[in-house]
């Protein structure tokens, strides 16, 4: 990547950074990306995929595989506290996970493909909405327009704080944990605080469930039996001294390495809730949100990325351990050989989702170069 190209992509990244849009709201981001892809002479630009998703397809006119490169459009509902000249202009929202950087790396691939198109097969650049909620990838794949993409391979990356800047970490098999948010709503009956016996309070059941649910999964080694349950929110009644509560709510995040272990954890958690509420005579409703299936890297796709990292002289670290955080990229592994690698943002870099996080611009050529090398190895 020339210094001029890096400067142009950096300026574009800063522009995107100033105008973050959270999951499901990526209207202007998608429009900006689609316009750029047309400028980069994509043969097809598809919009409105699974919400605000975008895709650009570069054809060779010769039979061959379809190679997908995927990135994310959405930002986070977090106030940015970086003090940068190009900081978010939208109060309470910020690109504090680096999706702005991911986008410009894929746009760098688009620029390279415009100048030197694939020799066989096709390349599909996938700009996916709503990754942060886990809703984006399933909706993108379920959209009828996805049939026009139908990739044989899909590659992706995520920047990773704590890993040396510009280094690559890569694993085969389990790559990101499954997770889901479990919302437990307990319903009893309010009463006067002077006569709590005349109502039905969820307090006892909540006091019982909080340690019990936390005890179901306490983390540990990232092996097949790994499970972590994290209580993230609890609410009992209203903030008043005159009313004994009639409603309670618990939010718990469940996390496992595999989908099979998640199914068991869900079953165990629901059994605890049913037992506690039946003992107390409470009504209960259990719902789930932010559902992420496990992300698994395909060995063939991993080998292609490993070769690409070596070819581009990026320091490569192979690992057998997945990341604890979740990713909906695993959805693209249904019907394609898919793999994600992690790109170091720096060992002392602020962590993802921190208010002072900012994507490191100097790794743009590393990520774009690995993507382009992987593409060229398959379609020339």
């Amino acid at each position: 990547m020339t210094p001029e190209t890096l400067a142009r992509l950096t300026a574009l990244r800063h522009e995107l950074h100033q105008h973050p849009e959270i999951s499901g709201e990526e209207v202007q981001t998608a429009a900006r990306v689609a316009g750029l892809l047309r400028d980069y002479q994509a043969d097809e630009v598809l919009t409105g995929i699974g919400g605000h998703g975008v895709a650009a397809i570069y054809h060779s006119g010769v039979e061959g595989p379809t190679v997908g490169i995927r990135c994310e459009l959405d930002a986070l509902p977090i106030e940015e506290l970086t003090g940068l000249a190009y900081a978010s202009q939208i109060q309470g929202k910020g690109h504090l996970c680096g999706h702005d950087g991911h986008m410009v790396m894929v746009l760098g691939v688009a620029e390279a493909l415009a100048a030197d198109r694939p020799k066989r097969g096709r390349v599909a650049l996938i700009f996916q909405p709503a990754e942060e909620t886990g809703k984006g990838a399933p909706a993108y794949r379920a959209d009828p327009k996805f049939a026009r993409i139908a990739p044989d391979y899909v590659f992706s990356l995520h920047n990773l704080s704590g890993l040396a800047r510009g280094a690559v970490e890569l694993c085969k098999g389990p790559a990101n944990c499954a997770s889901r948010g479990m919302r437990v709503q307990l319903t009893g009956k309010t009463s006067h605080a002077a006569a709590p016996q005349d109502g039905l309070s969820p307090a006892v059941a909540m006091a019982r469930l909080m340690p019990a649910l936390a005890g179901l999964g306490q983390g540990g080694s990232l092996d097949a039996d790994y499970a972590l349950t994290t209580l993230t929110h609890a609410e009992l009644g209203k903030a008043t001294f005159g009313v004994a509560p009639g409603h309670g709510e618990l939010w718990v995040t469940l996390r496992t390495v595999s989908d099979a272990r998640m199914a068991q954890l869900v079953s165990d958690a629901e059994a605890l809730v049913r037992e506690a509420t039946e003992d107390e005579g409470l009504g209960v409703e259990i719902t789930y949100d932010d559902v992420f299936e496990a992300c698994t890297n395909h060995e063939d796709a991993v080998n292609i990325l490993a070769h690409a990292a070596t070819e581009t002289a990026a320091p490569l670290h192979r690992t057998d351990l997945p990341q604890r955080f979740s990713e909906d990229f695993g959805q693209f592994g249904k019907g394609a050989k898919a793999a994600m690698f992690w790109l170091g943002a720096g060992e002392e870099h602020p962590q993802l989702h921190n208010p002072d996080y900012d994507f490191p611009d100097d790794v743009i050529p590393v990520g774009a170069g690995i993507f382009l090398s992987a593409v060229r190895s398959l379609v020339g």
Side-chain angles (χ1 to χ4, degrees):
M1 182 176 291
T2 66
E4 293 76 18
T5 299
L6 176 57
R8 185 167 59 255
L9 290 175
T10 297
L12 175 59
R13 207 276 296 178
H14 294 181
E15 176 194 333
L16 293 169
H17 188 89
Q18 292 181 78
H19 305 285
E21 294 177 300
I22 62 173
S23 299
E25 299 180 1
E26 309 96 333
V27 177
Q28 297 304 318
T29 305
R32 182 74 172 106
V33 165
L36 288 164
L37 293 169
R38 294 185 184 99
D39 291 343
Y40 293 144
Q41 302 169 31
D43 296 302
E44 294 183 70
V45 177
L46 310 177
T47 59
I49 308 173
H52 301 302
V54 178
I57 303 176
Y58 290 83
H59 297 277
S60 67
V62 177
E63 185 177 352
T66 297
V67 183
I69 304 293
R70 172 269 198 176
C71 63
E72 317 93 321
L73 294 167
D74 55 336
L76 287 159
I78 301 174
E79 185 75 21
E80 180 178 348
L81 300 175
T82 62
L84 294 166
Y86 56 84
S88 171
Q89 297 180 4
I90 312 299
Q91 186 173 1
K93 300 177 184 180
H95 269 297
L96 303 176
C97 203
H99 294 178
D100 50 348
H102 300 176
M103 281 186 273
V104 299
M105 285 187 277
V106 178
L107 288 166
V109 174
E111 185 172 347
L113 291 172
D116 184 10
R117 307 184 89 78
K119 305 301 185 291
R120 58 187 175 275
R122 306 182 304 160
V123 179
L125 305 180
I126 295 168
F127 294 79
Q128 178 212 302
E131 185 279 326
E132 295 291 352
T133 63
K135 294 180 172 65
Y140 197 104
R141 289 191 71 255
D143 192 295
K145 288 188 283 291
F146 186 72
R148 294 167 62 181
I149 303 171
D152 299 294
Y153 294 85
V154 186
F155 301 104
S156 186
L157 68 76
H158 207 293
N159 76 94
L160 186 62
S161 301
L163 180 64
R165 184 165 293 190
V168 170
E169 190 165 284
L170 183 61
C171 70
K172 63 181 179 181
N176 296 83
C177 283
S179 71
R180 64 176 56 203
M182 179 184 190
R183 182 182 182 185
V184 180
Q185 296 185 77
L186 309 175
T187 304
K189 185 173 69 173
T190 60
S191 65
H192 197 290
Q197 70 279 4
D198 293 335
L200 183 58
S201 172
V204 172
M206 287 183 66
R208 174 177 165 182
L209 283 171
M210 284 192 282
L213 289 169
L216 283 178
Q218 299 184 349
S221 300
L222 285 163
D223 54 23
D225 198 47
Y226 174 83
L228 178 65
T229 51
T230 306
L231 182 69
T232 62
H233 175 71
E235 184 176 87
L236 178 64
K238 301 296 182 182
T240 176
F241 290 109
V243 181
H247 179 267
E249 194 164 307
L250 293 173
W251 291 25
V252 185
T253 300
L254 313 180
R255 194 174 304 276
T256 62
V257 167
S258 70
D259 293 328
R261 183 67 180 91
M262 176 60 72
Q264 183 60 56
L265 184 59
V266 167
S267 177
D268 292 344
E270 290 186 355
L272 282 178
V273 172
R274 301 292 181 194
E275 182 181 2
T277 53
E278 287 172 7
D279 288 350
E280 296 298 320
L282 298 165
V284 62
E285 181 182 8
I286 300 173
T287 55
Y288 294 95
D289 209 342
D290 288 16
V291 177
F292 294 82
E293 296 180 15
C295 180
T296 303
N297 280 350
H298 192 284
E299 185 174 5
D300 291 351
V302 166
N303 291 338
I304 291 167
L305 286 176
H307 180 267
T310 301
E311 187 176 62
T312 56
L316 174 62
H317 173 236
R318 301 292 288 262
T319 179
D320 295 325
L321 298 177
Q323 296 295 326
R324 286 180 171 83
F325 61 77
S326 299
E327 249 286 350
D328 67 1
F329 175 67
Q331 295 291 321
F332 290 97
K334 299 177 178 180
K337 295 180 179 181
M340 167 178 281
F341 68 95
W342 302 298
L343 179 59
E347 293 170 314
E348 303 301 324
H349 200 73
Q351 290 295 318
L352 303 174
H353 295 209
N354 279 183
D356 57 343
Y357 168 89
D358 182 46
F359 181 84
D361 293 314
D362 52 355
V363 303
I364 292 172
V366 182
I370 291 171
F371 280 148
L372 192 58
S373 175
V375 165
R376 297 300 188 198
S377 71
L378 288 164
V379 297

